[in-house]
Amino acid sequence: MPHVVTQPCCGDASCVFACPVNCIHPTPDEPDFATAEMVYIDPVSCVDCGACVRACPVGAIKPHTKLDDDELVFMELNALFHAGSDAGNGLESATRPAQAPVPPVVRVPEGTSLDVAIVGAGPAALYAADELLKQRGVRVTVLDRLPTPHGLVRAGVAPDHQHTKDIGRLFAQIESQPGFAYRLGVEVGRDVTHDQLLTSHDAVVYATGAPADRQLGVPGEGLPGTATATEVVAWYNGHPDHVQAPLDLQAERVVVVGNGNVALDVARVILSEPDELARTDIADHALAALRQSAVREVVLVARRGPAQAAFTVPEMVGLLHHRDIDVVVEQRELLGGDDQKSALLRDGSVPVVDPARRRVVLRFLAAPEAVIGDDVVEGLQVVHTSLETRADGAVVAVPMQEREVIATSCVLRSVGYRSTPVPGVPFDPALHRIPNIDGRVLAEPGGELLPRTYVVGWAKRGPTGFIGTNKSCSLETVNALLTDVATGRVVPAGRPRPVLHDGAALDRADWLLLDVHERRAGREQGRPRRKVVDRLAMADVVRTAKAAR
């Protein structure tokens, strides 16, 4: 097999467009490249040209001769979804989906001068900036309440997934384009209003994501000892708002409600050998705390069964091949199904707990009912469930009579995200996102269009998809904005680049100085970077670097 995809799909689809022989596809039942959890290379059609390797923004594609031992399983996975190959084991032919369509890009009239503010500096914001800057005469100012850009790529991707963070190199290329500007450390509603942005720009695009967690809605959810997986992720990634440890690392067992990729990340990071994490960009305070951790077991609780598990196959493959962590499924009778996730757990999980090793325990068919404890967490009460298939084909968990308490002093919830309102911007409280049609913001759900205001990313569509999913999402919104310019709904004022009176905001040059500092400090310890996590310290780094010039 010439080339192999070794990571979950980022959704960028650059590899697909680069392939000259159309041999990269999602699985047959996932025809949408933007939402597929992985793409696969046909080992028969691949001509070993390497175009996909150069195109992939996260370095996920390798020649089969350069696979590490723990990546060999991906060679089998790649072959599995392509009929006709020897490794496909004679699977019946399946109609392959067509390549991802390339939406037409709307062009603005010659001579147009357009200033756009983008609120948020994560992947959705930067993909939108990239599409806008492909037009002549467009200038983009990207604002973010944090003093650092890149959103979840910096503060959400697990530190031991440095390959995923490689997409930062693509972001750096976007930032370097003429017409791009940063105003970091600026919050809408605190430092500047929506109306002020509209006054100084021709249009505003909101890319504010989904920073809040969904609630479980069970008694005891707010007891000391409860937290969210998002807070843990932010803590070990050095988010400046989450420097204090949100979980009890002296507990031998941590219980996480949910079994998606974020839950797996949290379990893997807090159970990993600290010396291994010391080679990553994990925050110094988190690394120091994990060196003192007593956690030996993380239990992931889910209402439904293995076939309905929220984790993606590539993420579980990575956990199953982790040399320091066992994966345990005590309900092994549930692993008899012929679905891919059940088969993966049946073959890769350990049948018996080894008390000498750290472990992730997957607990299925258990719905959280209450967090138990008087003043602090003492356990999680769950009710056993059974599965029923509804008329529409959905598999749902139905509570039964049997209950139990899983003893623990630390309960984390990891059951999804939701957007929060931005002051001065409409918000749909039912759907937890900014109401819109194709990225055009509505004055209220189902109402009229709000002038010159747009939305992209999770704030637009909800917390779905992968990093690169934002590429197609952003293109749709940018096309809507440019169509409005071309048809006269948005009339550019032709003014010079506006200057926001935002005090201590950091610009792109400041960010580059901080970035260089973090990378240099990291290299001194054999790490990709050492993050500065305090806002004042960030400002000091920038000020010192400028003075040294």
Side-chain angles (χ1 to χ4, degrees), residues 225-272:
T226 61
T228 70
T230 303
E231 292 169 335
V232 177
V233 170
W235 167 71
Y236 60 57
N237 271 318
H239 191 294
D241 295 341
H242 297 276
V243 177
Q244 300 301 318
L247 76 166
D248 179 10
L249 291 173
Q250 297 313 303
E252 287 197 6
R253 173 188 290 153
V254 172
V255 176
V256 182
V257 179
N259 63 6
N261 286 349
V262 174
L264 261 61
D265 281 347
V266 167
R268 187 184 65 255
V269 170
I270 64 178
L271 289 173
S272 289

Side-chain angles (χ1 to χ4, degrees), residues 376-440:
V376 295
V377 173
E378 297 175 9
L380 178 71
Q381 180 173 299
V382 298
V383 58
H384 294 189
T385 64
S386 62
L387 299 181
E388 291 186 2
T389 303
R390 297 189 316 205
D392 60 2
V395 178
V396 297
V398 179
M400 301 172 69
Q401 296 298 316
E402 188 176 355
R403 289 169 171 78
E404 66 174 297
V405 174
I406 304 173
T408 182
S409 61
C410 182
V411 174
L412 308 176
R413 69 175 187 268
S414 183
V415 291
Y417 308 96
R418 58 182 178 84
S419 296
T420 55
V422 177
V425 181
F427 188 74
D428 186 336
L431 297 178
H432 298 288
R433 59 184 187 228
I434 296 175
N436 72 95
I437 297 178
D438 298 332
R440 295 181 176 94

Side-chain angles (χ1 to χ4, degrees), residues 12 76 139 143 239 299 316 336 361 393 458 465 492:
D12 181 88
E76 301 173 9
R139 294 176 300 213
L143 306 92
H239 191 294
V299 181
M316 179 52 72
V361 178
W458 281 4

Side-chain angles (χ1 to χ4, degrees), residues 47 64 94 97 132 141 166 364 476 481 525:
V47 294
H64 78 283
L132 284 165
T141 301
D166 282 345
F364 297 105
E476 179 186 60
L481 192 166
Q525 296 187 353

Side-chain angles (χ1 to χ4, degrees), residues 148-156 165 237 511 518 529 531-532:
T148 56
H150 301 175
L152 288 180
V153 172
R154 179 180 172 95
K165 296 191 178 192
N237 271 318
W511 156 241
E518 290 185 337
R529 73 167 66 231
K531 292 177 180 174
V532 181

Side-chain angles (χ1 to χ4, degrees), residues 480-494:
L481 192 166
L482 297 178
T483 296
D484 292 347
V485 173
T487 57
R489 282 195 71 251
V490 172
V491 180

Side-chain angles (χ1 to χ4, degrees), residues 323-539:
R323 64 183 182 183
D324 299 322
I325 302 171
D326 286 342
V327 176
V328 179
V329 184
E330 294 177 344
Q331 304 149 290
R332 296 192 67 81
E333 69 277 6
L334 301 178
L335 302 181
D338 58 2
D339 61 280
Q340 188 181 23
K341 290 179 178 178
S342 295
L344 186 67
L345 293 173
R346 184 170 60 244
D347 296 338
S349 62
V350 298
V352 179
V353 171
D354 181 350
R357 285 178 57 82
R358 286 169 289 212
R359 58 198 168 273
V360 174
V361 178
L362 299 179
R363 181 63 192 274
F364 297 105
L365 302 182
E369 209 171 41
V371 178
I372 303 300
D374 294 326
D375 300 318
V376 295
V377 173
E378 297 175 9
L380 178 71
Q381 180 173 299
V382 298
V383 58
H384 294 189
T385 64
S386 62
L387 299 181
E388 291 186 2
T389 303
R390 297 189 316 205
D392 60 2
V395 178
V396 297
V398 179
M400 301 172 69
Q401 296 298 316
E402 188 176 355
R403 289 169 171 78
E404 66 174 297
V405 174
I406 304 173
T408 182
S409 61
C410 182
V411 174
L412 308 176
R413 69 175 187 268
S414 183
V415 291
Y417 308 96
R418 58 182 178 84
S419 296
T420 55
V422 177
V425 181
F427 188 74
D428 186 336
L431 297 178
H432 298 288
R433 59 184 187 228
I434 296 175
N436 72 95
I437 297 178
D438 298 332
R440 295 181 176 94
V441 173
L442 302 175
E444 60 184 24
E448 299 293 322
L449 294 177
L450 196 68
R452 301 187 288 131
T453 307
Y454 303 84
V455 63
V456 70
W458 281 4
K460 168 188 173 183
R461 68 182 190 274
T464 61
F466 304 91
I467 290 173
T469 309
N470 295 295
K471 188 172 185 176
S472 56
C473 176
S474 297
L475 181 54
E476 179 186 60
T477 295
V478 169
N479 268 342
L481 192 166
L482 297 178
T483 296
D484 292 347
V485 173
T487 57
R489 282 195 71 251
V490 172
V491 180
R495 63 176 67 85
R497 174 182 291 283
V499 177
L500 293 172
H501 299 288
D502 43 28
L506 303 181
D507 59 20
R508 176 175 172 267
D510 297 333
W511 156 241
L512 291 178
L513 292 173
L514 179 60
D515 183 48
V516 168
H517 171 87
E518 290 185 337
R519 291 181 183 278
R520 183 185 298 120
R523 284 195 299 272
E524 292 173 355
Q525 296 187 353
R527 303 170 62 184
R529 73 167 66 231
R530 283 187 69 196
K531 292 177 180 174
V532 181
V533 301
D534 179 79
R535 285 179 168 84
L536 293 178
M538 291 179 190

